[in-house]
Structure formats: C-alpha cells, structure tokens
Amino acid sequence: MSVRAIQGKGVNRARVICDGCGREEVVTCNYLRRPGQAWAPDEGQTRRKMIGRGWAEVKGKLHCPGCEAKRKATGMTKTTTKPAPAPKPDEALRHPTRAQKREIMDLLEEVYDTAAERYRQGDTDATVAEVLGVMPGWVAEIRDAFFGPDGGNEDIAAALGRMEALERDMRAVADEAARQRAAAEKKLAELSVLKVELDRIRVAVGPRALRKAGVAA
C-alpha cells in the first residue's frame, strides 16, 4: 500500500496511491510518530477509510474500485475485505454515502469553530469538499445542520479587521486634512480682511502719508 504524507497547514491528510493503476486519492487521517522517525500517516486508519470508499485490500496492497472490479472479473485471488457496493450514478449525485457523511463530520470537527460560528484558518465548504472528494453542497448541508452557519473563516475575519483598521486610519488622515484646510481658509479670510482695510487706509490718507509712516504704497 502506498500512503504518502501531505505537508502544509490545515488538516492532516495523506495521499493514497492504488497499487494497481496508480490512481491517487486524498484522505484525512491521524499522524503517528515512528521510533526515530518523523511524523507519518496512520496507515491503519487510512486503510479503513479507503475501504469505506470502496477500495479493497489484497495481500497488503490497496486496489481502487476499478482495479478491484477487474481483478474479480479475471478470477484473481479473493480480497481480504469486501468493498462496499458502489452507489448508482443518480443516487451518488443526490446523496453522500454513510462513509462520506462520517468523513465530512470528522473533518468539520477539526476545521469548524462552533463557538465563533466560522471555519478555522482559511478553510471553507469548498476546501473541505476538495480534500474529501465530495460535493460542496453536501458539506454545506451537514455543516449547517450540525455545526453552524457559513460565517466565513479566520483568514477572512483577519482581512476584514485589517481593512477596518485601514479605513479608520484613512478617516483620521481625511479629518486632519479637513482641519488643516479649514485653518488655512480662516487665515486667508483674515488676510483678505486686512487687505481691504489697508486699501481703505490708502484711499483715506494717500500714498505720501503711507510712505512717511513706513508702509508701502
């Protein structure tokens, strides 16, 4: 069985590769620390989840549903685990299987914050559906019924917080600019009044009197 770890933030996942055709699927799983080694996916849990999806274990190897159907048709060795019957195409479009419902519930337990009524980090209905290989509508239905509303996620909330802070700063700058503009307009009005008064004095006393007083005519 080929189970490979997936690095990165978010929920713990593993990539499972069919030992027959090389088909790959991603599944959520726990990680275990091996003696003297780094963290690695829990292969037992991963194997059980894949069997619940219709895969089969044959002599320690995992076969995808397609390879298992071919093996049965050609009379190869019996599988140690009978795969779950595949749903009819129309039923698969309408409803998730029980195994898929359990996986959606398990993953939502990890990535949805019921107290804050939103996803943790950057997860959404769509990212959960992508990880599990299911329809986003199934995730939304189960999340709304058992966990809470679609309240966004922590990344969106943080971005909104930064935007609100930026808007406050911009309003403060605009208010300060308006205050300075009002002060400048007041000074210009005062200068205008002084100019009118000076013109009136010039007319009243004449240029010669102003020159004697030391004021430019």
Side-chain angles (χ1 to χ4, degrees), residues 95-200:
H95 304 291
T97 64
R98 289 182 178 178
Q100 288 171 326
K101 287 181 180 179
R102 287 194 297 269
E103 287 193 343
I104 293 172
M105 294 283 287
D106 290 344
L107 186 48
L108 286 172
E109 287 283 0
E110 297 179 30
V111 301
Y112 189 88
D113 186 344
T114 54
E117 294 189 332
R118 68 189 180 197
Y119 279 100
R120 298 185 176 92
Q121 297 184 0
D123 286 306
T124 63
D125 291 343
T127 61
V128 172
E130 182 180 359
V131 168
L132 299 179
V134 299
M135 301 292 289
W138 298 349
V139 178
E141 182 178 357
I142 292 175
R143 185 256 309 140
D144 189 62
F146 299 101
F147 292 86
D150 184 6
N153 57 45
E154 292 178 352
D155 288 355
I156 293 175
L160 289 174
R162 292 192 296 271
M163 183 179 297
E164 290 174 355
L166 179 59
E167 289 177 348
R168 288 194 298 270
D169 292 343
M170 291 176 65
R171 284 195 297 270
V173 171
D175 291 344
E176 177 62 20
R179 188 191 64 79
Q180 292 183 4
R181 183 170 58 251
E185 290 174 351
K186 182 179 179 181
K187 291 293 184 182
L188 287 174
E190 291 175 353
L191 288 173
S192 180
V193 170
L194 289 175
K195 184 176 183 302
V196 171
E197 180 66 17
L198 182 58
D199 290 341
R200 187 185 64 78

